[in-house]
């Protein structure tokens, strides 16, 4: 289970079975949380295409 890209389905969690692209559109913060909270121990869980998108999500988020 690694290198999941935008068209793959999440194998577990809140959005299990949903296409990552759809999750990103509706709740990008969840994917950022998954990566940053190290919910996934494998650094290659998300495909390389995902990291710039998640980084961009963080940059665009409003500070608390």
């Amino acid at each position: 289970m690694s290198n999941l890209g935008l068209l793959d389905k999440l194998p577990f969690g809140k959005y299990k079975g949903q296409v990552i692209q759809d999750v990103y559109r509706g709740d990008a913060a969840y994917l950022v949380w998954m990566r940053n909270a190290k919910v996934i121990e494998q650094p290659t869980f998300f495909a390389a295409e995902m990291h710039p998108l998640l980084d961009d999500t963080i940059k665009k988020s409003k500070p608390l």
Side-chain angles (χ1 to χ4, degrees):
M1 171 174 50
S2 64
N3 295 315
L4 295 177
L6 287 171
L7 300 179
D8 294 311
K9 293 182 179 181
L10 280 174
F12 60 85
K14 180 178 177 179
Y15 296 107
K16 180 180 179 178
Q18 293 188 31
V19 176
I20 292 175
Q21 178 174 290
D22 295 336
V23 175
Y24 179 78
R25 286 180 183 151
D27 191 359
Y30 178 73
L31 299 175
V32 170
W33 171 80
M34 285 181 75
R35 183 184 68 172
N36 293 347
K38 302 205 188 297
V39 171
I40 304 107
E41 293 299 323
Q42 302 174 29
T44 59
F45 180 79
F46 286 123
E49 70 181 4
M50 292 296 299
H51 295 286
L53 291 172
L54 298 176
D55 292 340
D56 191 46
T57 297
I58 293 168
K59 288 177 189 172
K60 289 180 179 177
S61 68
K62 295 178 182 176
L64 297 175

